[in-house]
Amino acid sequence: MLRRVGSSPTFRTSNDLDAGNLLPMSTHVSIQEVLEAAIVRALATLSSNGVLPAHVELPLTITLERPKNRDHGDYATSIALALAKSAGIAPRDIATALQAALLADAAVSKDLAAVDIAGAGFLNLTLAKASQGGVIASILTSGSEFGKSSTLAGVKVNLEFVSANPTGPLHLGHTRWAAVGDALGRVLSAAGAHVTREFYVNDRGVQMDLFGESIRSAALGIARPEAGYHGAYIEDIASAIVTTNPEFKELPEEQSIHAFRDAGYAIQLADQQRVLDNMNTHFDIWFSEKSLYEDNFFNHCLETLKKQGHVFEHEGAIWLRTTDFGDDKDRVMIKSDGSFAYFASDSAYYISKRERGFDVLIYMLGADHHGYVHRLKALASCAGDDPAKNIDILIGQLVKILENGEELKLSKRAGTIITLEELIEKVGVDAARYTLIRYPVDTPMVMDVDVLRSRTNENPVYYVQYAHARICGVLRNATDLGIDFGVDHIHPELLEHERERELIGALGEFPRIVASAAELREPHRIARYLEELAGTYHRFYADCRVLPLGDEPASELHSARATLCKSTAQVIANSLELLGVSAPEKM
RNA sequence: GUCCCAGUAGCUCAGUGGAUAGAGCGACCGCCUCCUAAGCGGUAGGCCACGGGUUCAACUCCCGUCUGGGACACCA
């Protein structure tokens, strides 16, 4: 993969000047980065000594790949293939020259056991054994910081997710974002971004009034409004309110509805907060829609938008001309009767986020809201922003839940689809979170309750947690046996078994996985990596005895392997932390 | 009608333009007198929906077709 000279990373902003303060963590330069720099130097050498014609544009950075096939070394690059055409030279000839330049580079030649040319012109690098230990040292010294990066340093991100109406319990439609959104927040933070997690509360409008009316009807024992809320939870809320405020029943109808509405809202919101908290999902800001209309804030937003020239009046209503930016129709903000359309809130909320200093606004929406994508991007344009840079909309497909082979649809309590809380009661927080996170959000998914309760390979969360618990067990035994392990016992030259090489290689990939998960907004990559890493560990464990057998005396190899185990446990724990899933020491 | 998403092993799904396309399940065959068998190994199973194009190189990018799912409001 080439990165062009002038192309600035998408998410950098002018705030970068402060970035230095945010990055005290890992200053360790990995062997991979050292080699990548060496290849760039080698290319420059080839250019200056005439092997490559002067007109060939050289990449300023390159990214080494990790070959799937171990016969292809520890790292590989196809740079010779990529440059062959513009250079007018056979790729294998470029590769040969590159090979010579690398081996002549004193800065890296000692790290390389072999530089091979393969296939059409791939350059395969095999590390010297002693040079593989760097990543282990780095993991052990960085600890829980290992994997963090500065790829998004200085970027202020507003991450909005869940944003359920406070008129009922959180249900299956919210669970995916509750897990994925929280994980994405963790991943973005690990990449150095300054993340604010926000829950938008729709606390005004017709739905709220219907909610109040429904509760009051339940309290009075009269029929609920047709379009109102019919779940059994309404009864619970009503009786809770009547217990503390019996007088609400006696108020005139409108006041009574409002009283029940406001009290019910407080109860329901608190309930949502409790459930999310139990799910290990946390928010920094609970943003009230109502507040957008307080203190003249909405008018201020309208003025701001007017200055950009896309606001107009038509048939007594105030519109935003979103069709200027690709929306399929213009959007009403203030209806002809003077009331606010929903888009008024969307607009003001957008302005609010930007004025609070966020560079990137991430919206996580359900598939049923995908029609919002165009209008939100157009809104960003209408506000004078660059939608490609300032706004990022993720659409999550639906989740189905299966039990005993049948789809669960109804929740007894909510009278709607199954609630988030019921899901957690069934499978537990770890299994629920992990499963929801491990799939890309743009594909529909099915959660099978029976699988999530099973303790086998088909339940990835246990597979991964088991690897961690297994290592912890080994390390406990190592300690009991008086085996030393840690930074002073890495002994990379002793770790020459194929399984050991694989494991070390997998550990070294972690920082790059985190960075790409952050840039692509795809936390599922962490889970997939984790499964890969756990599998690699289990295979290592099966083939490489860590602790002495019977009366066998302890050797440096035992220490080295225990140290490798310790660093693996650290990376597994760091990965699980990014997903908000626990890393048990015993299972 | 317009727009969005998907189509990869029998099933559920990974796969950020690279070499021989992967995992789990299901099927079949194996591995615990010793560190957690919630584990490991092996066999079988593929026209990466179809047709063009771009590229040294396409499951991956572009265009089109087919099939499946979803969305369209002066509702919230």
Side-chain angles (χ1 to χ4, degrees), chain A residues 187-511:
Chain A
V187 168
L188 292 170
S189 298
H194 185 273
V195 181
T196 297
R197 301 124 169 278
E198 200 152 309
F199 186 118
Y200 179 58
V201 186
N202 298 113
D203 55 0
R204 65 179 289 278
V206 178
Q207 292 303 317
M208 285 305 294
D209 292 336
L210 272 172
F211 178 59
E213 201 178 337
S214 301
I215 297 171
R216 176 171 177 269
S217 303
L220 297 177
I222 61 177
R224 297 192 204 169
E226 186 86 5
Y229 294 84
H230 297 278
Y233 70 98
I234 293 287
E235 309 271 357
D236 302 345
I237 295 175
S239 61
I241 295 174
V242 169
T243 306
T244 52
N245 297 86
E247 73 281 8
F248 283 2
K249 290 207 282 191
E250 317 305 332
L251 295 169
E253 181 170 348
E254 195 179 330
Q255 286 178 41
S256 175
I257 289 174
H258 287 178
F260 276 106
R261 178 194 66 191
D262 294 347
Y265 159 79
I267 291 173
Q268 196 57 71
L269 184 64
D271 186 65
Q272 290 185 356
Q273 291 175 327
R274 175 185 62 80
V275 171
L276 287 168
D277 217 47
N278 288 342
M279 203 195 175
N280 209 9
T281 291
H282 307 289
F283 290 89
D284 300 304
I285 293 180
W286 297 76
F287 194 94
S288 155
E289 180 187 1
K290 214 191 294 182
S291 73
L292 293 169
Y293 298 91
E294 291 165 358
D295 303 327
N296 221 24
F297 183 74
F298 179 78
N299 288 334
H300 159 73
C301 293
L302 194 57
E303 287 309 312
T304 303
L305 285 169
K306 276 182 182 167
K307 280 179 199 151
Q308 296 292 327
H310 305 286
V311 176
F312 68 102
E313 190 172 343
H314 177 66
E315 293 179 353
I318 306 290
W319 301 65
L320 190 63
R321 200 183 312 276
T322 51
T323 52
D324 286 348
F325 300 100
D327 196 6
D328 50 356
K329 60 187 71 168
D330 293 324
R331 304 291 166 179
V332 170
M333 291 194 287
I334 305 179
K335 301 183 203 172
S336 48
D337 68 2
S339 63
F340 295 106
Y342 196 71
F343 197 65
S345 297
D346 288 339
S347 305
Y349 191 29
Y350 180 87
I351 302 282
S352 160
K353 285 176 179 172
R354 291 287 285 142
E355 288 189 350
R356 282 183 280 144
F358 297 109
D359 307 308
V360 179
L361 314 187
I362 301 181
Y363 289 74
M364 308 180 97
L365 305 178
D368 53 340
H369 284 73
H370 99 256
Y372 281 48
V373 174
H374 280 119
R375 80 187 70 160
L376 284 174
K377 292 199 166 182
L379 166 60
S381 298
C382 286
D385 291 334
D386 177 359
K389 206 171 84 183
N390 301 115
I391 189 167
D392 207 341
I393 303 168
L394 308 183
I395 297 295
Q397 296 294 326
L398 303 180
V399 178
K400 275 190 204 170
I401 179 162
L402 239 52
E403 189 168 24
N404 302 321
E406 283 179 28
E407 183 178 352
L408 288 180
K409 281 190 170 156
L410 291 181
S411 157
K412 282 164 259 157
R413 241 190 116 256
T416 62
I417 40 184
I418 191 159
T419 66
L420 195 164
E421 190 167 28
E422 287 166 325
L423 173 68
I424 300 229
E425 281 166 10
K426 283 179 188 297
V427 303
V429 172
D430 282 349
R433 284 186 68 109
Y434 189 90
T435 309
L436 289 161
I437 295 167
R438 83 183 276 268
Y439 297 95
V441 292
D442 54 8
T443 61
M445 65 168 291
V446 177
M447 297 182 82
D448 188 321
V449 171
D450 302 309
V451 168
L452 293 181
R453 282 198 279 237
S454 73
R455 300 173 153 201
T456 64
N457 275 1
E458 63 183 314
N459 192 356
V461 64
Y462 285 115
Y463 182 80
V464 163
Q465 288 182 316
Y466 177 60
H468 186 264
R470 195 178 220 186
I471 296 173
C472 290
V474 170
L475 294 180
R476 279 191 298 270
N477 295 340
T479 303
D480 290 346
L481 291 171
I483 306 231
D484 293 324
F485 56 91
V487 207
D488 300 329
H489 303 276
I490 297 174
H491 306 305
E493 69 288 352
L494 298 178
L495 302 175
E496 54 187 351
H497 192 282
E498 181 58 22
R499 299 304 198 198
E500 293 164 338
R501 288 180 66 93
E502 284 172 4
L503 185 52
I504 294 168
L507 294 172
E509 284 182 85
F510 183 58

Side-chain angles (χ1 to χ4, degrees), chain A residues 80-216:
Chain A
L81 290 157
L83 293 177
K85 180 130 193 203
S86 66
I89 305 174
R92 287 188 71 102
D93 292 342
I94 298 178
T96 305
L98 213 42
Q99 177 190 39
L102 273 178
L103 292 174
D105 187 337
V108 291
S109 57
K110 64 177 182 353
D111 293 316
L112 293 169
V115 179
D116 300 309
I117 297 160
F122 290 97
L123 206 58
N124 294 334
L125 312 182
T126 304
L127 290 178
K129 282 172 201 155
S131 299
Q132 293 180 76
V135 64
I136 301 177
S138 179
I139 293 166
L140 295 177
T141 52
S142 305
S144 60
E145 296 294 302
F146 182 73
K148 295 193 176 174
S149 70
S150 55
T151 48
L152 297 181
V155 182
K156 286 190 70 181
V157 177
N158 180 284
L159 183 63
E160 184 206 330
F161 59 110
V162 185
S163 297
N165 285 334
T167 53
L170 296 169
H171 55 71
L172 205 52
H174 304 117
T175 57
R176 193 170 200 169
W177 285 136
V180 177
D182 183 77
L184 180 59
R186 293 164 187 253
V187 168
L188 292 170
S189 298
H194 185 273
V195 181
T196 297
R197 301 124 169 278
E198 200 152 309
F199 186 118
Y200 179 58
V201 186
N202 298 113
D203 55 0
R204 65 179 289 278
V206 178
Q207 292 303 317
M208 285 305 294
D209 292 336
L210 272 172
F211 178 59
E213 201 178 337
S214 301
I215 297 171
R216 176 171 177 269

